[in-house]
């Protein structure tokens, strides 16, 4: 734990750090690859839609009913004329799924099962679903998705700025695509529960992103008033500074969901708990990844297009060049290279010189961050008079 | 950035930690007390946890009548379905609209779901039948002695008497007097644009001993005579027999039925001839204000075929005496209105009487949409036995407990002493959530279903996230070399902003979900929204003041190695010069 703590400290101070922003092309590529895989999976395999979307019925017999799987299967198939899937759950109850029935036919199957299995009709739980029910849920989900995205972009544009809103939106779409793709590739069943989970990811994926952006916004205060670091470098430091926070919030959010998924689902074999938690689990993990590797670099990319940021970049590079020619040590801890510069980024995980440099880590709000601290000049926290 | 101590400050979140804590504790006690006082100590459980049947219906408008799926019609439909389901003798059934086009019917356990589905799924039947006999709602004595007497009040519940048994005692033998007849007789049915209001109120008692004048085709007398007994025995004051009165009547046969003209306060009973028209013959109807007379009326327009039939029947009826000149509009076996016919009518008619606005509009609705204003399609039917429901609830609760335990373990491992604050906050949050859920059951009909349980479990993470954001901020400040008390105060405004922004996003997601979805998803969204709001409340009014108090203790303030705030462990810089300007919290009254 203390090791982890010390990593946190060093991250915070900028002694160590990963250059997320400079390596963004790599992570973009990774994400694009995953997204393409997801889309291909969707196109080729399609989603395994649950009975709620095709119409059909799920019957469950009571626990310890000692009903035989084969009898149940035969009975259901004969009375419905459709294929039936029968699973035996941990508690000795059967779960019988018959797809493509309408609700009236489903009742017939229920009665037949009751006769064949010797279980009173009222003891057989049934979930009968008409074919348009799932469609309705899905339509509403799409509506919700659209409305939410519009609202959230507006809100984030007000709370932060439009660039961040755009980046957050892209990250969000990325999370959803990945989650849906995983469903397609693994062949998990899509149920209304899945849809609920997916829609919840919306809020949650953004939660992570907002936490990161908040640090970013703070770190970038007064960024144009200095000429020590480019915006991208500052963004990267903020990101590293809040890394522990992001990781912790993600873990803490995932823990209960994991509990639901592996334990709650384990008790019942299958059902709503599992459906919701599975999509949440995948989506949350994707959300944590995208808030760090995708959203922030995207913001940096967009910001670097601003004229004042371009000017800043020029100043910083000029200063560094001047310093180099004077033979002074370079005031940087990160590779200054950027996408726009045709330089290959060096691959080092943090500064090799031990000078702790902190730009834009969370610091006192009364003093704007000014480049680097620790060299006896302008310690932001020490400047309060 | 403004200095934090000049920032906007929520009242009580800073400066007066003890008072704030006392306030929130009082609120908790009040909520818990409210729970026990109201007797709702557990949240109401949804069908999937308590057992029962849920039927989801979707409104289908007829082609060309898409605008029919509107709030008014949905509410009319809900009323009709509710009456049917509760007619089964289920009093606990809930019928409610969800979203724009869904109706959800929840029938608790212990009901014949099969029968309920039949009731719910079918479209209501609307028929026009000639009235043969009318009488007040009570049991008519076999020896007819039509003595006008005071009308019996509906609240006097007679013993149910089926048509099969002879009535034990002529308890509420009420021959209708003109007043007791209510509006059924005072309504007139006539062609529109006649200005003379001429509904004649005649409350002649129906005499069951005389065979009613055959108002329709001959040859049905044997049947009606069989019905006479039933009619005499029918007790419209009793809900059960009322619901069964016109249940299985075929349109081509005569029937007995009940009707009320004052919203169910008093009831009349009718012996009715075979149906002459049905709901499909009505092209359009609406309740509207008659400007000339200043009263509410209902106008009807018939289709071509309907007009022909209507002309035929009104020709016959207008020549009769009351009550045989009345025309019963029968919905699902219940007479909703029985206006008199005064003239021969064909393509259009108006019903006038002492309508209130609502009544006129309802009747117009019923007439124009052939009873159920919409046809409904069964979207899903879920039947859950109480046993399975209980199991699901158990699984959900176990999963929740485990999730909570995992979060607590992680917090303890990472934040050491600080985690005590987080855990206390989590419990406060859980307590508030639970008591609110229990109280919202009776208040707004909130029912805890499985997705809602899921939502609550997922919310553990969201709530804990807020603490992490704050703790990390505090630790950052300590790393800057501050002592704990200033660190706690300085970290707050910025943590606060992060928490508010991210919680707002979560809440937005929940709100959007809640608005656009139906059924299960709504329960989930509601819980998520509720817990997000509570998260803000708890962080502001519990976690933060507690943190301020803790900062004054030796254990935390002194940075004990196990406090989770040990400057050495956090790699703090050497302490700064203490400045005068740190916004140290005011000392609480008690040391």
């Amino acid at each position: 734990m203390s090791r982890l703590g010390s990593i946190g400290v060093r991250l915070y101070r900028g002694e160590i750090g990963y250059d997320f922003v400079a390596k963004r092309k790599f992570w973009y590529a990774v994400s694009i690859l995953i997204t393409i895989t997801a889309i291909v999976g969707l196109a080729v395999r399609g989603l395994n839609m649950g009975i709620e979307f095709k119409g059909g019925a799920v019957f469950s017999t009571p626990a310890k009913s000692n009903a035989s799987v084969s009898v149940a299967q035969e009975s259901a198939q004969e009375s419905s004329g459709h294929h039936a899937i029968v699973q035996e759950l941990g508690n000795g109850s059967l779960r019988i799924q018959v797809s493509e029935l309408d609700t009236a036919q489903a009742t017939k199957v229920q009665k037949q099962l009751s006769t064949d299995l010797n279980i009173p009709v009222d003891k057989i739980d049934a979930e009968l679903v008409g074919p348009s029910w799932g469609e309705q849920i899905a339509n509403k989900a799409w509506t919700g998705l659209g409305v939410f995205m519009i609202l959230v972009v507006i809100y984030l544009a007000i709370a932060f700025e439009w660039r961040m809103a755009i980046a957050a939106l892209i990250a969000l779409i990325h999370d959803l695509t990945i989650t849906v793709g995983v469903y397609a590739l693994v062949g998990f069943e899509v149920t209304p529960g899945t849809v609920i989970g997916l829609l919840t990811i919306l809020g949650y994926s953004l939660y992570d992103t907002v936490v990161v952006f908040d640090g970013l916004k703070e770190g970038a205060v007064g960024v144009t008033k200095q000429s020590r670091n480019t915006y991208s470098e500052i963004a990267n430091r903020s990101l590293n500074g809040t890394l522990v926070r992001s990781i912790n919030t993600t873990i803490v959010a995932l823990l209960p969901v994991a509990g639901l998924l592996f334990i709650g689902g384990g008790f019942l074999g299958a059902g709503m708990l599992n459906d919701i938690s599975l999509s949440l689990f995948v989506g949350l993990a994707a959300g944590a990844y995208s808030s760090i590797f995708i959203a922030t670099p995207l913001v940096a990319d967009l910001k670097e297009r601003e004229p004042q940021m371009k000017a800043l970049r020029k100043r910083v590079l000029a200063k560094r060049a001047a310093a180099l020619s004077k033979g002074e040590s370079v005031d940087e801890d990160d590779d200054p290279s950027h996408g726009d510069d045709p330089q290959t980024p060096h691959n080092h995980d943090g500064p090799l010189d031990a000078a702790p440099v902190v730009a834009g880590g969370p610091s006192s709000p009364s003093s704007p961050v000014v480049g680097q601290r620790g060299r006896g000049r302008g310690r932001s926290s020490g400047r309060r008079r | 950035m403004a200095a934090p101590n000049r920032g906007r400050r929520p009242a009580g979140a800073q400066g007066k930690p003890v008072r704030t804590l006392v306030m929130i504790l009082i609120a908790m006690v009040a909520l818990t007390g409210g729970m026990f006082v109201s007797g709702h100590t557990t949240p109401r459980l949804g069908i999937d946890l308590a057992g029962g049947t849920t039927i989801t219906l979707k409104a289908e408008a007829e082609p060309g009548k898409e605008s029919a799926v509107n709030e008014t019609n949905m509410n009319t439909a809900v009323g009709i379905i509710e009456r049917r389901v509760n007619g089964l003798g289920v009093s606990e059934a809930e019928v409610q609209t969800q979203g724009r086009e869904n109706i959800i019917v929840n029938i608790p356990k212990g009901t014949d779901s099969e029968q309920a589905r039949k009731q719910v799924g079918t479209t209501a039947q609307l028929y026009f039948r000639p009235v043969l006999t009318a009488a007040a709602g009570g049991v008519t004595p076999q020896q007819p002695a039509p003595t006008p007497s005071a009308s019996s009040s509906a609240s006097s519940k007679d013993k149910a008497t089926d048509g099969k048994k002879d009535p034990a005692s002529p308890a509420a033998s009420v021959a209708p007097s003109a007043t007791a007849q209510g509006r059924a007789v005072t309504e007139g049915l006539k062609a529109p644009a006649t200005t003379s209001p001429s509904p004649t109120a005649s409350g002649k008692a129906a005499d069951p001993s005389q065979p009613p004048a055959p108002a329709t085709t001959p040859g049905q007398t044997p049947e009606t005579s069989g019905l006479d007994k039933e009619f005499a025995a029918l007790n419209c004051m009793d809900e059960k027999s009322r619901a069964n009165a016109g249940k299985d009547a075929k349109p081509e046969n005569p029937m007995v039925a009940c009707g009320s003209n004052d919203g169910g306060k008093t009831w009349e009973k009718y012996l009715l001839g075979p149906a002459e028209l049905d709901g499909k013959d009505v092209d359009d109807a609406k309740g509207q204000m008659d400007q000339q007379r200043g009263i509410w009326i209902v106008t009807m327009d018939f289709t071509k075929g309907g007009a022909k039939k209507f002309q035929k029947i009104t020709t016959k009826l207008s020549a009769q005496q009351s009550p045989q000149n009345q025309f019963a509009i029968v919905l699902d076996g219940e007479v909703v209105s029985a206006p008199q016919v005064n003239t021969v009518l064909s393509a259009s008619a108006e019903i006038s009487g002492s309508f209130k606005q609502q009544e006129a509009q309802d009747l117009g609705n019923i007439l124009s949409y052939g009873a159920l204003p919409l046809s409904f399609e069964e979207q899903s039917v879920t039947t859950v036995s109480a046993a399975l429901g209980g199991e699901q609830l158990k699984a959900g609760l176990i999963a929740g407990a485990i999730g909570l335990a995992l979060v607590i373990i992680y917090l303890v491992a990472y934040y050491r002493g600080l985690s005590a604050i987080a855990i206390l906050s989590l419990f406060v949050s859980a307590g508030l959530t639970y008591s609110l859920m229990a109280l919202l059951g009776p208040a707004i009909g909130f029912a805890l279903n499985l997705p809602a349980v899921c939502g609550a479990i997922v919310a553990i993470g969201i709530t804990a996230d807020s603490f992490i954001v704050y703790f990390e901020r505090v630790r950052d400040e300590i790393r800057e070399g501050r002592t704990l008390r200033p660190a706690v105060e300085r970290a707050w405004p910025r943590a606060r902003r992060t928490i508010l922004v991210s919680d707002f996003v979560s809440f937005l997601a929940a709100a959007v979900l809640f608005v656009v979805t139906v059924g299960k998803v709504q329960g989930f969204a509601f819980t998520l929204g509720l817990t997000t709001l509570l998260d803000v409340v708890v962080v502001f009014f519990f976690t933060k003041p507690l943190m301020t108090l803790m900062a004054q203790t030796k254990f935390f303030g002194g940075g004990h190695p196990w406090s989770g705030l040990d400057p050495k462990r956090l790699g703090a810089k050497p302490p700064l010069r203490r400045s005068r300007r740190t916004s140290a919290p005011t000392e609480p009254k008690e040391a």
Side-chain angles (χ1 to χ4, degrees), chain A residues 338-361:
Chain A
H338 254 288
D340 330 326
D341 306 327
Q343 299 182 21
T344 42
H346 308 299
N347 231 339
H348 61 88
D349 283 350
L352 297 171
D353 58 334
V357 182
V358 177

Side-chain angles (χ1 to χ4, degrees), chain A residues 1-2 4-6 8-9 12-13 52 60-61 63 91 93 103-104 107 110-111 122-134 136-137 140-141 143-145 147-148 151-152 155-156 159-160 192 196-197 199-200 202-204 206-208 210-211 214-215 217-218 221 241 244-245 247-253 255-260 263-265 267-268 272-273 276-277 280 361-366 373 379-382 384-385, chain B residues 1-4 56 58 60 99-102 104 114 117 377-386 388-389 391-392 395-396 398-400 402-404 406-407 410-411 413-416 450-451 453-454 457-458 460-466 468-469 472-473 475-477 479-480 482 490 494-495 497-506 508-510 512-513 516-521 524 528 535 569-574 576-577 579 581-582:
Chain A
M1 204 78 259
S2 60
L4 218 154
S6 74
V9 178
Y12 174 73
R13 296 229 197 116
E52 287 87 351
S60 351
T61 61
N91 54 12
S93 75
T103 49
T107 314
Q110 189 180 6
K111 287 209 174 89
D122 57 350
K123 286 275 188 296
I124 296 183
D125 294 330
E127 190 168 347
L128 320 178
V129 183
S132 57
W133 175 229
Q136 203 189 335
I137 292 183
K140 288 194 187 300
T143 314
L145 197 67
V147 171
F148 177 76
L151 288 178
V152 108
Y155 175 69
L156 290 180
F160 298 110
I196 297 176
L199 292 171
T200 315
L202 296 180
Y204 224 104
L206 281 165
Y207 194 104
D208 273 352
V210 165
V211 170
D214 211 45
K217 184 181 172 182
E218 219 168 87
V221 171
V244 174
R245 199 168 317 168
I247 291 168
N248 273 350
T249 50
T250 304
I251 290 176
V252 165
L255 284 175
V257 174
L260 262 183
I263 300 151
F267 275 104
L268 285 174
M272 199 94 183
L273 291 175
I276 295 181
S277 46
L280 266 179
S363 62
S364 57
S366 53
R373 281 183 248 133
R379 246 194 214 176
S380 63
S381 46
R384 296 185 357 273
R385 282 160 293 281
Chain B
M1 287 240 49
T56 311
K58 179 166 173 245
E60 305 271 337
R100 230 173 40 83
E101 51 185 9
N102 289 89
I104 301 226
E114 192 56 23
R117 278 179 63 195
E377 196 192 319
E378 212 174 50
Q379 289 277 337
S380 75
V381 182
T382 311
T383 311
V384 175
S385 65
L388 187 82
E391 246 175 74
Q392 300 210 3
I398 290 172
I402 288 169
L404 189 62
L406 287 173
V407 168
Y410 185 82
L411 288 174
Y414 197 90
Y415 290 109
R416 304 278 163 86
L450 195 59
V453 174
C454 267
I457 294 169
V458 170
I460 297 171
I462 293 188
T463 310
D465 277 0
S466 305
I468 291 175
V469 168
E472 283 296 326
R473 279 277 184 213
R475 293 173 105 176
D476 286 348
E477 294 294 337
R479 284 175 190 142
E480 292 296 330
R482 286 199 179 74
R490 295 183 63 94
R494 327 179 65 209
R497 202 192 56 209
T498 310
I499 291 167
L500 282 178
V501 171
S502 45
D503 270 346
F504 182 81
V505 169
S506 280
L508 194 66
V512 170
L513 266 183
V516 301
T517 53
V518 291
K520 295 173 178 171
V521 189
F524 180 82
L528 212 59
D535 175 33
R569 226 175 243 283
L570 294 175
K573 302 199 184 91
L576 308 164
R577 287 192 311 278
S579 66
R581 276 190 47 222
T582 46

